[in-house]
Amino acid sequence: METVANAVHLPPLDNPHEREAVGIELEVTLQELIDLSLIGKQLHWSVVGPGARSVHLFLDELVGQWRELADVVAERAVTLGFVPDGQAGAVSKGYRVEPVPVHSTADHVVLWELARRVAGVAERIRERLVPIGAADLVTQDVLVDVVRTLEKQQWLLRTQLAEKV
Ligand SMILES: [Fe+2]
């Protein structure tokens, strides 16, 4: 049960009735970012082809960025008094990002498959920005940062795909 002391120390929201809803949105975003980081590692291991080395290294950069963003998102949730579930079971139950096939995958296919998934996650978070902003502008700012990073990644993936077509 939330104590008076806890309530006093929680940041006030623009709409205090939305505290749990904001926490759940952050949890969904956290799980999508963890999912992306796991898929990124899977592709890091399965990529083959002439561009495999550069894609392999690039994927580790992206995985590092998704992990950092996941941490920021989870910590925003706990700052608001909501503890999100970022464990494997919760992430797999959410099943929001389509899994990738478990076999060797050509470098350009890896880039394409990843670009599609990053775009999907970015679009879904973008759709949540306006309602989140109505409840809490600071959380909206955190999610804007996530979308900005994902959209930049989409661009970087696109530039590498352009060489292949
Ligand atoms: Fe590695």
Side-chain angles (χ1 to χ4, degrees):
M1 197 178 91
E2 193 174 273
T3 65
V4 173
N6 279 341
V8 166
H9 289 98
L10 288 174
L13 297 191
D14 300 297
N15 182 349
H17 303 296
E18 296 289 323
R19 191 176 295 277
E20 179 152 3
V22 171
I24 289 169
E25 292 297 345
L26 285 164
E27 183 176 58
V28 169
T29 306
L30 168 70
Q31 292 173 352
E32 284 182 311
L33 289 166
I34 292 172
D35 224 346
L36 273 182
S37 72
L38 295 174
I39 283 168
K41 263 298 184 191
Q42 185 66 43
L43 294 171
H44 167 87
W45 297 320
S46 57
V47 63
V48 294
R53 181 170 166 74
S54 81
V55 172
H56 174 80
L57 297 175
F58 178 55
L59 284 172
D60 255 356
E61 275 176 43
L62 296 182
V63 168
Q65 290 170 10
W66 293 325
R67 286 181 175 163
E68 272 174 38
L69 289 174
D71 196 44
V72 171
V73 166
E75 288 174 4
R76 179 64 193 161
V78 286
T79 298
L80 296 178
F82 184 97
V83 180
D85 195 344
Q87 298 176 95
V91 173
S92 71
K93 219 186 296 167
Y95 195 67
R96 293 184 178 91
V97 186
E98 189 191 339
V100 290
V102 183
H103 54 61
S104 298
T105 309
D107 46 11
H108 64 282
V109 176
V110 163
L111 292 168
W112 169 253
E113 291 296 325
L114 201 57
R116 210 158 58 76
R117 286 166 178 79
V118 171
V121 174
E123 278 167 32
R124 287 196 290 278
I125 300 172
R126 219 180 222 286
E127 282 167 13
R128 302 200 280 270
L129 286 179
V130 171
I132 285 285
D136 179 33
L137 282 173
V138 181
T139 297
Q140 185 191 51
D141 186 58
V142 169
L143 294 182
V144 164
D145 218 29
V146 173
V147 174
R148 182 169 45 236
T149 304
L150 293 177
E151 290 183 351
K152 182 177 177 186
Q153 292 172 348
Q154 271 176 257
W155 162 60
L156 289 170
L157 286 160
R158 247 188 5 249
T159 60
Q160 293 173 77
L161 272 171
E163 294 174 3
K164 310 283 178 189
V165 289

